[in-house]
């Protein structure tokens, strides 16, 4: 069994959750915050059999878009007030997906 941790843009999260559950994945959706931009994103926890990992990844990839984000002064806290980083543009996602091995999974 594997645990996927998928960090996606808030704007894609509803369609990703819907597409995953439609394919019978069980997901937990967490409200999270990126440490660089300090803006909200969504983290999915997806526990699944090894042979379904590629399907989950392809669903996430299909529904997550890359976006440009202009960084402004009020979002500088996460970068330690680094003046050089202000008013710059970064490319955010698609999605960031980590795949972890699960030693044990039990439901009570
Ligand atoms: P944030 O940390 O808010 O990062 C937003 C975007 O800012 C990143 O997009 C990247 O383009 C840029 N960025 C992040 N850290 C940077 C740095 N130290 N220097 C310069 N630019 C930087 P993505 O790479 O698509 O990441 C989107 C979100 O996914 C991140 O939001 C974070 O919440 C998460 N994430 C990405 N990689 C991660 C990792 N290795 N570990 C944990 N979380 C990660």
């Amino acid at each position: 069994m594997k645990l996927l941790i998928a960090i996606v843009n808030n704007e894609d999260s509803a369609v990703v959750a819907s597409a995953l559950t439609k394919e019978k994945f069980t997901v937990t959706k967490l409200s999270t915050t990126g440490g660089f931009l300090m803006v909200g994103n969504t983290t999915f926890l997806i526990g699944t059999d090894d042979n379904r990992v590629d399907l989950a990844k392809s669903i996430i990839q299909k529904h997550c878009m890359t976006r440009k984000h202009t960084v402004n002064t009020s979002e500088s806290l996460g970068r330690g007030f680094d003046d050089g980083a202000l008013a710059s543009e970064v490319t955010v996602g698609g999605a960031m997906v980590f795949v972890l091995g699960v030693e044990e999974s039990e439901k009570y």
Side-chain angles (χ1 to χ4, degrees):
M1 187 176 199
K2 294 281 193 283
L3 177 68
L4 278 69
I5 300 175
I7 304 165
V8 311
N9 195 294
N10 278 347
E11 291 175 47
D12 297 327
S13 65
V15 68
V16 169
S18 166
L20 286 168
T21 53
K22 194 172 168 191
E23 287 293 336
K24 310 287 186 224
F25 288 99
T26 301
V27 307
T28 296
K29 189 171 161 289
L30 306 174
S31 295
T32 47
T33 303
F36 187 74
L37 292 177
M38 300 296 277
V39 298
N41 52 30
T42 300
T43 299
F44 289 96
L45 304 180
I46 308 156
T48 189
D49 292 334
D50 291 26
N51 63 5
R52 302 238 303 153
V53 168
D54 286 345
L55 176 59
K57 288 196 294 187
S58 70
I59 290 169
I60 294 164
Q61 185 178 20
K62 179 178 176 187
H63 295 288
C64 288
M65 281 181 278
T66 297
R67 295 177 175 84
K68 300 277 186 198
H69 188 108
T70 303
V71 182
N72 65 41
T73 309
S74 65
E75 291 169 338
S76 65
L77 290 171
R79 284 160 285 113
F81 297 102
D82 178 356
D83 285 343
L86 298 182
S88 56
E89 193 176 64
V90 294
T91 303
V92 183
M96 183 71 211
V97 179
F98 301 92
V99 181
L100 287 67
V102 175
E103 199 167 311
E104 197 176 325
S105 159
E106 292 187 36
K107 186 156 66 175
Y108 298 105

